[in-house]
């Protein structure tokens, strides 16, 4: 009684495991899964998504939300509540990625582990024939025929006078398609590594000579030099920056970054992710002595030379020359059709500080000087650069994964999956044989070859 | 009915030749591709590029009357060369731009394959729908995967991040998923004629939508389109 109960339990477990396995590796589930991902990607493509690195609750997030509300109106609040504004940063998406990881692992397992056999998962066509040989010889004949189609049967099983097995591809055709799933696993693993061990700081805008902290320890970066390489038509070909990496007061190293050119030191990478217009302003008195210049907003410290950024948020800057009682207004325009200027231009206006009376005005497309009341104001057009510091331990893993996935997809194209389920039943001196193949291969060239070889043997 | 061979020697030679032509002209299209505004002034050039890629694939794959293929294929390939040469000024934005451009070219090649498949399954003829769907979806998926990999490399160089889940990237991934859906359905599930036809048309329609419709759509929605 106990033995029967144990056997029943074992059978239930076996059936459950087999059913689960069939479900998890079935193409039907794969289709459903792809459908779910497809809908998610479509939603991500249509609905506004919180930019990466922006934390809900931060001032930047509030600004982004108000901008989104201006465009999307009342739809934003329900989308936010449903979590559809941050699909790819949500826990639900991470769970989906984890399930993808498991499914990819199982698919890889079915492709690479030969001992694990499963019945046909899709519609099949059967080909039946009789060979004038005993079961063992017939098995060998079938093996030879399938070898011509690049397939080899796994170990034969025997039960109740039946011999059966499954034949699959051999060599590279068997292994390489699995690289897709291996690549996918590595890609997902790289996301985990990046999330756990990676780091990226804020984008830093730097003008020449400016130092900004990176946000890790005492490390800071200073822009020492900018090199602009023009094309033949005077458009910009490259903009490279010479940076100094500082640890407190000490210079650790100097690095060159550029657009598309990463600078690394240890595990720290610096990317130059953008650049923009800047201006250098200084003033001289009547005898040529340097005068102090200071900003009227922000850092108001007096300097002999001031460098100003014209970022997207601030295209206007105000300066004062206290000793000459002058105020300078600088406005940057990417182009100014009203003045018939196609490229960038700096609109400079000099005022009397006390009365606000306009003393001088000029549109500059290159460095120049302005003389006002015996004071010479020197202006030079420069660039500022935007630098992003990052630590990216996941990069090698991610690109290895991408490459393997690509190889796997190409291999799948060249060596599509081929499987033949073989059944042989010996009776007297003959064997009744049956080959089951997926319906899609019923008219394939390889199966015609197998049929031709076996047909000859059957007639012989 | 013979199986449509996609890895036969002739197919590989034609395929490589076609790809070489498309990649060779990639040097002239950085501006068009970088600005990604195909629905406006560049729409015609992109359309010619997609049709040329489709014609080149139809040369490489068997199953359609060959004289018609040759005339259409060669004519469209020439039109592509002339259009790209006339429309795109030569610029040099470095390797990051080249990678992003090549990613777009790979996507054009994939679009060509899917358009070829869509034309085959839509038109009556002796070619098996299932065979067409399997071959075309596998081909297109290879090129779309290559496009994604090249894009990731270019994005890493340009923006320091190979994937940021931007709207543009989501659309790219959606087209890849649609093609993978078609591949699994036609190859592993053995879809019938109707499902196969629907799958090919969906995948081809989506990739054309991404090339021609998504940039203006994203502009309308205020979503950023990555550009160097």
């Amino acid at each position: 009684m106990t033995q029967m109960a144990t056997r029943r339990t074992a059978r239930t477990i076996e059936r459950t495991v087999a059913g689960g396995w069939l479900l998890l590796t079935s193409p039907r589930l794969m289709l459903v899964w792809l459908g779910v991902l497809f809908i998610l990607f479509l939603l991500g493509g249509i609905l506004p998504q919180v930019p990466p690195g922006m934390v809900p609750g931060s001032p930047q997030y509030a600004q982004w939300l108000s901008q989104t509300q201006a465009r999307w109106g009342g739809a934003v609040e329900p989308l936010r509540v449903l979590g559809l504004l941050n699909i790819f940063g949500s826990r639900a998406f991470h769970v989906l990625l984890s399930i993808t990881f498991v499914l990819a692992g199982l698919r890889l397992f079915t492709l690479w582990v030969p001992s694990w056999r499963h019945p046909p998962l899709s519609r099949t066509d059967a080909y039946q024939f009789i060979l004038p040989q005993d079961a063992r010889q017939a098995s060998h004949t079938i093996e030879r025929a399938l070898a011509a189609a690049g397939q080899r049967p796994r170990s034969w099983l025997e039960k109740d006078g039946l011999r059966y097995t499954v034949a699959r591809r051999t060599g590279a055709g068997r292994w390489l398609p699995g690289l897709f799933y291996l690549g996918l696993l590595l890609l997902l693993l790289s996301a985990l590594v990046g999330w756990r061990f990676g780091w990226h700081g804020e984008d830093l805008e730097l003008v020449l000579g400016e130092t900004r902290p990176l946000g890790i320890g005492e490390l800071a970066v200073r822009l020492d030099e900018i090199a602009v390489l023009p094309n033949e038509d005077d458009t910009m070909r490259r903009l490279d920056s010479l940076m100094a990496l500082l640890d407190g007061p000490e210079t650790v190293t100097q690095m060159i970054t550029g657009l598309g050119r990463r600078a690394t030191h240890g595990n720290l990478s610096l990317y130059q992710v953008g650049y923009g217009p800047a201006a250098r302003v200084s003033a001289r008195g009547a005898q040529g002595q340097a005068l102090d210049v200071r900003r009227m907003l922000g850092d108001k410290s007096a300097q002999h030379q001031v460098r100003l950024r014209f970022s997207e948020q601030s295209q206007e800057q105000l300066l004062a020359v206290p000793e000459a009682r002058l105020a300078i207004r600088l406005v940057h325009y990417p182009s100014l059709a009203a003045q018939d200027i196609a490229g960038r231009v700096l609109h400079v206006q000099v005022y009397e500080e006390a009365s606000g009376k306009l003393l001088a005005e000029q549109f500059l497309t290159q460095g120049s000087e302005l003389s006002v009341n015996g004071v010479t104001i020197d202006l030079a057009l420069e660039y500022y650069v935007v630098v992003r510091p990052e630590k990216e331990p996941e990069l090698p893993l991610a690109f290895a994964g991408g490459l393997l996935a690509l190889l796997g997809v190409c291999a799948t194209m060249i060596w599509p999956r081929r499987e033949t389920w073989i059944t042989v039943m010996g009776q007297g001196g003959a064997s009744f044989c049956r080959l089951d193949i997926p319906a899609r291969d019923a008219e394939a060239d390889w199966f015609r070859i197998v049929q031709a070889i076996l047909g000859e043997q059957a007639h012989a | 009915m013979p199986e449509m061979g996609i890895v036969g020697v002739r197919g590989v030679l034609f395929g490589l030749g076609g790809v070489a032509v498309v990649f060779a002209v990639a040097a002239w299209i950085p501006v068009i591709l970088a600005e990604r505004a195909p629905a406006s002034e560049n729409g015609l050039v992109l359309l010619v590029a997609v049709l040329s890629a489709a014609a080149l694939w139809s040369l490489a794959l068997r199953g359609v009357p060959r004289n018609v293929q040759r005339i259409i294929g060669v004519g469209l390939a020439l039109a592509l060369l002339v259009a790209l040469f006339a429309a795109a000024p030569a610029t040099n934005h470095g390797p990051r731009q080249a990678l992003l451009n090549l990613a777009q070219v790979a996507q054009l090649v994939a679009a060509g394959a899917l358009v070829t498949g869509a034309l085959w399954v839509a038109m009556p003829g002796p070619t098996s729908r299932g065979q067409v769907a399997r071959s075309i979806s596998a081909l297109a998926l290879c090129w779309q995967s290559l496009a994604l990999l090249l894009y990731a490399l270019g994005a890493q160089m340009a923006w320091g991040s190979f994937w940021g889940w931007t709207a543009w990237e989501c659309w790219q991934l959606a087209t890849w998923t649609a093609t993978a859906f078609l591949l699994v359905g036609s190859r592993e599930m053995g879809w019938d004629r109707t499902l196969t036809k629907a799958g090919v048309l969906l995948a081809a329609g989506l990739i054309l939508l991404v090339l021609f419709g998504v940039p203006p759509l994203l502009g309308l929605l205020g979503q950023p389109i990555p550009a160097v």
Side-chain angles (χ1 to χ4, degrees):
Chain A
M1 197 65 185
T2 317
Q3 271 186 349
M4 273 181 72
T6 311
R7 215 173 291 161
R8 217 176 292 146
T9 312
R11 209 170 291 161
T12 311
I13 292 171
E14 194 182 326
R15 275 189 201 147
T16 311
V17 170
W21 177 260
L22 279 178
L23 175 75
L24 291 172
T25 54
S26 72
R28 203 177 295 274
L29 181 71
M30 183 56 73
L31 272 188
V32 170
W33 199 245
L34 284 170
V36 169
L37 293 177
F38 177 71
I39 292 167
L40 269 186
F41 298 147
L42 276 188
L43 285 176
I46 294 167
L47 300 177
Q49 296 296 304
V50 177
M54 198 177 274
V55 185
S58 65
Q60 292 91 341
Y61 178 78
Q63 191 189 356
W64 175 83
L65 204 61
S66 66
Q67 284 171 354
T68 308
Q69 268 165 345
R71 190 176 289 271
W72 287 76
V76 169
E77 193 48 30
L79 289 175
R80 190 188 66 77
V81 172
L82 290 171
L84 292 174
L85 293 182
N86 192 17
I87 294 172
F88 304 107
S90 64
R91 278 194 190 161
F93 184 66
H94 291 150
V95 171
L96 286 180
L97 288 184
S98 308
I99 296 173
T100 309
F101 188 89
V102 172
L103 290 180
L106 290 175
R107 303 274 294 189
L108 180 66
F109 197 66
T110 55
L111 282 174
W112 279 8
V113 179
S115 59
W116 197 283
R117 227 169 277 127
H118 58 75
L121 294 171
S122 55
R123 284 186 296 123
T124 55
D125 269 19
Y127 170 58
Q128 298 181 52
F129 53 96
I130 299 169
L131 289 175
Q133 299 162 334
D134 66 30
R136 246 166 229 290
Q137 282 176 325
S139 305
H140 288 307
T141 304
I142 295 171
E143 279 182 24
R144 278 197 299 275
L146 286 170
Q151 292 180 71
R152 189 193 303 150
R154 307 295 152 207
S155 54
W156 289 84
L157 295 177
E158 287 196 50
K159 195 176 181 187
D160 302 332
L162 282 176
R163 283 170 64 81
Y164 53 92
T165 185
V166 63
R168 294 201 176 114
R169 279 188 184 277
T170 54
R174 189 183 132 217
W175 292 102
L176 289 179
L179 290 181
F180 170 73
Y181 295 107
L182 183 63
L184 191 58
L185 290 174
L186 289 183
L187 271 175
L188 293 170
L189 209 59
S190 78
L192 190 69
V193 170
W195 170 71
R196 183 71 184 83
F197 303 106
W199 169 85
H200 71 87
E202 283 182 20
D203 288 358
L204 306 172
E205 292 180 354
L206 291 162
V207 289
L208 275 170
E210 192 175 13
T211 303
R212 303 280 299 268
L214 292 180
I216 33 172
E218 294 277 295
L219 286 179
V221 68
R222 185 182 65 223
L223 177 62
D224 283 344
E225 199 177 320
I226 286 178
V228 179
L229 279 81
N231 282 313
E232 284 176 8
D233 59 356
D234 268 353
T235 54
M236 186 188 292
R237 184 177 178 182
R238 266 171 50 193
L239 190 148
D240 291 340
S241 314
L242 179 66
M243 303 271 182
L245 184 68
L246 310 171
D247 191 357
E250 285 179 28
T251 301
V252 179
T253 184
Q254 283 198 313
M255 307 187 280
I256 296 175
T257 66
L259 292 172
R261 181 177 179 182
R262 178 173 69 146
T264 54
H265 178 72
N267 58 359
L268 179 74
S269 301
L270 279 185
Y271 289 93
Q272 186 180 306
V273 291
Y275 63 90
R280 188 186 69 227
V281 184
S282 58
R284 284 176 281 138
Q287 279 77 46
Q289 79 281 16
L291 300 177
D292 281 343
V293 181
R294 63 175 175 79
R295 290 181 180 86
M296 292 174 80
L297 294 169
D299 176 15
K300 293 181 181 173
S301 59
Q303 295 161 359
H304 287 327
Q305 183 172 266
V306 173
R307 282 191 160 95
L308 305 160
R309 285 189 297 273
F310 297 96
S311 61
E312 277 181 25
Q313 287 79 30
S314 146
Q315 292 285 313
E316 181 181 349
Q317 298 280 0
L318 292 170
L319 293 171
V321 187
E323 292 160 69
R325 294 178 181 180
L326 294 176
I328 307 169
R329 180 171 175 260
L330 301 156
V331 183
H332 175 267
Y333 298 94
S335 66
L336 199 57
Q339 294 292 322
D340 213 17
I341 300 171
R344 65 175 185 156
V345 59
L346 194 62
H347 184 199
V348 187
Q349 292 171 309
V350 184
Y351 296 92
E352 197 174 65
E353 199 172 18
S355 64
K357 183 184 166 193
L358 182 65
L359 301 174
E361 183 176 24
Q362 204 167 340
F363 291 93
L364 300 181
T365 54
Q366 54 189 358
S368 182
E369 58 179 47
L370 277 172
S371 291
V372 183
N373 295 346
V375 176
T376 307
I377 300 166
D378 293 306
L379 295 136
L381 295 183
E382 295 179 345
Y383 290 96
Y384 76 88
V385 294
V386 187
V387 178
R388 180 181 301 161
E390 291 192 37
K391 284 184 180 177
E392 317 162 294
E394 76 279 16
L395 267 191
L397 209 56
F399 282 108
L403 198 63
L404 287 179
L406 177 66
L407 285 176
V409 170
C410 294
T412 306
M413 180 190 76
I414 298 168
W415 296 289
R417 200 166 170 175
R418 274 184 198 168
E419 283 174 315
T420 310
W421 287 267
I422 310 160
T423 314
V424 178
M425 187 178 74
Q427 207 166 44
S431 295
F432 295 91
C433 311
R434 176 178 162 141
L435 303 184
D436 286 280
I437 54 151
R440 63 172 187 265
D441 287 335
E443 292 184 7
D445 286 345
W446 71 266
F447 191 57
R448 285 168 189 277
I449 294 169
V450 172
Q451 279 177 309
I453 295 171
L454 291 173
E456 279 175 18
Q457 294 291 324
H459 290 120
Chain B
M1 194 181 299
E3 188 178 8
M4 188 176 66
I6 55 166
V7 289
V9 175
R10 196 169 60 96
V12 170
L13 286 178
F14 272 124
L16 289 176
V19 172
V21 170
V22 178
F23 272 75
V25 297
W28 289 299
I29 53 173
V31 168
I32 288 174
L33 301 176
E35 289 174 1
R36 292 201 177 90
S40 53
E41 67 268 31
N42 300 320
L44 187 64
V45 177
L46 271 188
L47 186 65
V48 174
V50 171
L51 290 176
S52 300
L56 289 170
W57 280 123
S58 75
L59 279 172
L61 304 168
R62 280 181 275 164
V64 177
R66 292 190 56 209
N67 285 338
V68 178
Q69 290 172 27
R70 279 207 185 115
I71 294 165
I72 296 175
V74 173
L76 286 175
L78 280 174
L80 170 69
L81 281 170
V82 172
L84 292 177
F85 189 73
T91 57
N92 186 351
H93 290 284
R96 69 197 181 283
Q97 185 67 69
L99 284 168
L100 293 172
N101 288 344
L102 288 176
Q104 189 88 334
V105 170
Q107 205 189 22
L108 284 175
V109 176
L114 285 171
V115 168
T116 307
L119 289 174
W120 265 337
V121 297
M123 286 192 299
T127 314
S128 157
R129 263 60 173 169
Q131 287 165 7
V132 169
R134 286 199 295 276
S135 307
I136 289 294
S137 55
L139 258 178
L141 200 66
C142 284
W143 284 99
Q144 282 177 306
S145 306
L146 179 65
L148 285 176
L149 188 64
L150 289 169
Y151 171 85
L153 283 167
Q156 180 68 35
M157 291 177 82
W159 307 297
S161 164
F162 62 88
W163 201 259
W165 294 109
T166 61
W168 177 258
E169 290 164 351
C170 286
W171 278 104
Q172 304 293 323
L173 219 45
T175 55
W176 187 94
T177 315
T179 313
F181 194 83
L182 168 65
L183 184 69
V184 174
S186 61
R187 192 173 264 184
E188 293 194 31
M189 293 283 292
W191 273 354
D192 63 13
R193 179 175 279 236
T194 316
L195 276 175
T196 301
K197 196 171 169 179
V200 176
L201 291 176
L202 170 76
L206 199 70
I207 202 165
L208 290 178
L209 175 72
V210 167
L211 282 171
F212 296 98
V214 166
L217 174 72
L218 293 184
L220 214 68
L221 297 174
Q223 306 270 50
I225 302 172
V228 175

